[in-house]
Amino acid sequence: MELIDTSAVAHAILDAPGWARVGITASSSFRREDAALELARVIADAVDAPVSAPPPEQSTLPL
């Protein structure tokens, strides 16, 4: 089972379009659903994104 990096999810939410972050609090259900779908898309893209390589100045530790 793959663990989801909660920090990456938090950054994805903060990087999501403002309308989507605000839209989940809208009074109309169709706007909330559109906003939730957009947030879900942004989070899924962030989770599926390849992990970037560590900077060369960071040493790696053997497992």
Side-chain angles (χ1 to χ4, degrees):
M1 182 175 184
E2 183 181 338
L3 296 177
I4 296 175
D5 181 9
T6 55
S7 178
V9 172
H11 287 292
I13 292 170
L14 293 175
D15 291 340
W19 72 265
R21 290 182 285 145
V22 173
I24 60 172
T25 64
S27 59
S28 63
S29 63
F30 71 91
R31 285 198 179 112
R32 284 193 309 271
E33 289 175 18
D34 287 347
L37 285 171
E38 178 65 13
L39 285 175
R41 186 194 61 75
V42 169
I43 292 169
D45 288 348
V47 170
D48 290 340
V51 178
S52 61
E57 60 271 359
Q58 181 177 354
S59 61
T60 57
L61 298 174
L63 293 178

